[in-house]
Amino acid sequence: LSDFIPQKIGFKFLKFIEKTAKENNATSLWLSVYIKNDKAINFYRRNDFIDIGEINFIVNGTEYANNVLSKKI
């Protein structure tokens, strides 16, 4: 992962998604991220996503808390 962070692939991909969403008349983006994934949460917050809630997913009988974030585009 540390080899890819300097390439800003996540940022470029996010900008592509925003552009595509706007072209399709979307007004906001929503996503969920595992509550313990601090790097991802900080990345999205740096890119103007705000916390709007929490959702739990059950995978193989184990419950995982996720933050729900949104951004107006």
Side-chain angles (χ1 to χ4, degrees):
L1 182 62
S2 61
D3 291 339
F4 297 101
I5 291 174
Q7 295 180 43
K8 299 192 181 277
I9 294 169
F11 178 77
K12 291 174 186 174
F13 187 57
L14 179 59
K15 292 303 168 191
F16 170 78
I17 292 168
E18 289 177 10
K19 179 179 178 283
T20 303
K22 284 180 187 178
E23 290 171 355
N24 286 282
N25 301 314
T27 57
S28 64
L29 297 174
W30 288 42
L31 59 88
S32 66
V33 61
Y34 181 50
I35 203 162
K36 293 183 181 179
N37 189 344
D38 293 329
K39 282 189 178 201
I41 293 168
N42 289 333
F43 168 78
Y44 291 118
R45 286 179 179 160
R46 279 194 314 273
N47 285 282
D48 302 321
F49 281 80
I50 58 169
D51 293 290
I52 60 168
E54 194 174 291
I55 189 168
N56 295 323
F57 292 106
I58 298 174
V59 180
N60 294 329
T62 303
E63 189 170 26
Y64 297 92
N66 283 259
N67 287 342
V68 179
L69 299 107
S70 179
K71 176 181 181 175
K72 292 188 186 296
I73 55 172

